[in-house]
Structure formats: structure tokens, C-alpha cells
Amino acid sequence: SSELTQDPAVSVALGQTVRITCQGDNLRTYYGNWYQQKPGQAPVLVIHGKNNRPSGISDRFSGSTSGNTSSLTITGAQAEDEGDYYCGSRDSDDHLMFGGGTKLTVL
Amino acid sequence: EVQLVESGGGLVKPGGSLRLSCASSGFTFRSYSMHWVRQAPGKGLEWVSSISSSGNYIYYADSVKGRFTISRDNAKTSVFLQMNSLRAEDTAVYFCARMILVGATAFDYWGPGTLVTVSS
């Protein structure tokens, strides 16, 4: 199916490591990309492709894929990492899609 | 510096029309595919439409196909979204976004968005 599924909410203690996952059949063929969005702001790309960070993105962020699951890992989470995280990908018809988003809380 | 700025949002009655514009600067616009993504209040991101760098390839989400039309003017470095037969469920912030040039189908730059409200 052309859907991406994310857990609605995840929490992590300050300085700990958290993994946010995204599942979908299309992820077996196409990479998942990851966006961070803070309230009232546009999304920001944090991971694209196999595990690529755009310029200016902290190396706390890393990505991986296994089977139908794409994962975003934040190592040593900081308060500024709080926000909503969306995975995005595509299907074979060049239609794009996003997961429902995961709200990350840093405790 | 890459910049994308949307305009044209506002309040419109159900069944009405709006034309969104996205003005770009700071990069070679004609080399990039451009896209519209929307976000309903309190909801997640939804891809709306894509147009290739040349304008020859166009795609729409099923939810807007037949009602919305994407276009671009490479000379004016702008992309547009003509929205007709608007419905309450089209109420959202509309973002324009640039797709990364090589590799994954990821959006590397986004505009701040423009709010479209469909209500009587």
C-alpha cells in the first residue's frame, strides 16, 4: 500500500538516544527522508537518502533502513530536538507521501 | 541564499477559486522540480502536486486531481497552484518546496507557507 506509518508520540530523556520509525511497503524500494517541524514553522530536512545530512544539520541525527522500515536516530537528544518528525517517500507512480508524524518530547 | 516565498492565500467560500504563487531566488530555478505540500490545522503534511524542471511532467494527489493545476514560469522563477472548486477540507497552510537535485526524493528547501481558509 502507498502509506507510511509512524508512532504518534515518542519521548526521550535529555541526553539519551531515541529512534523514530516509519513503516511502509514503498520503503522496501525507495528511501525514507526525514523532516523536523517546530510549531508555526516550515519543515526542515534532517536526513535524506541512505543516511545523508544536509549542511547545518547536527550529527546527532542519523538514518537507517531495514526491510519496510526507515528509522531516524537522535543520539544525545537535546531540548532543541523537540518537535514533530515526518518521514517522506514516494511510490512507483512518482506520487509522494508523508507519514502521519511523530511528536518528540525531550524530558 | 535559497528563498521560497508563497503568496495568494486567504479566505474563500466553498466552490471558489484561489491562485497561489511561490517566488524563488538564490538558485537556478529551471534546474529543479518544484512541489506543493499542505498542512491542515493541527494535522500532518500532505503532498499536493509536483512539476518537473521543464514543466513536462506533472503529478497530483488524488484528493486534488481535477480541481488543482500546477504550473511554473522559469523566466520568472515562480511556481503556481490554481485551486478551483475549493472545499472545506482544502483549508490548510500551503508550502512550496524544492526537491533535492540528486538522490532521494527529498525537499531541501521550503517556503514559510500561505494559509488558505475555505469557509462560508
Side-chain angles (χ1 to χ4, degrees):
Chain A
S1 69
S2 299
E3 289 184 355
L4 300 176
T5 302
Q6 298 181 239
D7 290 330
V10 169
S11 62
V12 60
L14 185 67
Q16 297 304 299
T17 297
V18 62
R19 176 175 290 182
I20 300 171
T21 61
C22 175
Q23 290 187 303
D25 288 342
N26 293 337
L27 297 177
R28 297 183 184 278
T29 307
Y30 305 106
Y31 285 116
N33 309 298
W34 289 93
Y35 304 88
Q36 176 195 67
Q37 186 180 36
K38 298 189 179 182
Q41 297 182 19
V44 172
L45 179 66
V46 295
I47 290 290
H48 63 91
K50 189 173 184 180
N51 181 19
N52 302 299
R53 276 179 290 106
S55 174
I57 299 301
S58 170
D59 59 5
R60 295 195 302 277
F61 294 90
S62 62
S64 62
T65 300
S66 178
N68 73 335
T69 301
S70 175
S71 299
L72 172 71
T73 299
I74 306 173
T75 303
Q78 301 300 302
E80 61 263 33
D81 299 333
E82 270 202 356
D84 296 325
Y85 289 83
Y86 294 92
C87 64
S89 190
R90 56 166 288 189
D91 65 17
S92 57
D93 293 324
D94 285 321
H95 285 203
L96 306 174
M97 65 197 68
F98 294 96
T102 297
K103 181 177 183 62
L104 176 67
T105 301
V106 179
L107 303 172
Chain B
E1 179 191 6
V2 173
Q3 287 197 324
L4 301 172
V5 180
E6 305 90 344
S7 61
L11 175 63
V12 62
K13 289 182 169 54
S17 298
L18 273 180
R19 187 181 192 234
L20 305 184
S21 300
C22 173
S24 74
S25 61
F27 65 102
T28 306
F29 181 80
R30 63 181 181 272
S31 297
Y32 289 82
S33 66
M34 297 297 296
H35 309 262
W36 290 95
V37 175
R38 69 185 180 183
Q39 186 169 36
K43 302 298 185 182
L45 302 174
E46 180 187 15
W47 169 73
V48 173
S49 182
S50 300
I51 186 166
S52 64
S53 57
S54 63
N56 289 340
Y57 298 94
I58 286 174
Y59 306 93
Y60 298 100
D62 290 344
S63 58
V64 306
K65 195 168 188 178
R67 301 186 299 122
F68 290 11
T69 302
I70 192 171
S71 61
R72 64 188 295 157
D73 184 333
N74 284 347
K76 295 182 178 178
T77 65
S78 294
V79 61
F80 309 98
L81 187 68
Q82 177 66 44
M83 304 186 297
N84 298 332
S85 303
L86 283 162
R87 306 166 180 167
E89 54 264 35
D90 295 319
T91 294
V93 174
Y94 285 73
F95 299 100
C96 81
R98 185 185 87 166
M99 183 165 284
I100 201 164
L101 205 49
V102 293
T105 50
F107 303 119
D108 60 351
Y109 283 93
W110 299 64
T114 188
L115 176 63
V116 172
T117 303
V118 184
S119 176
S120 55

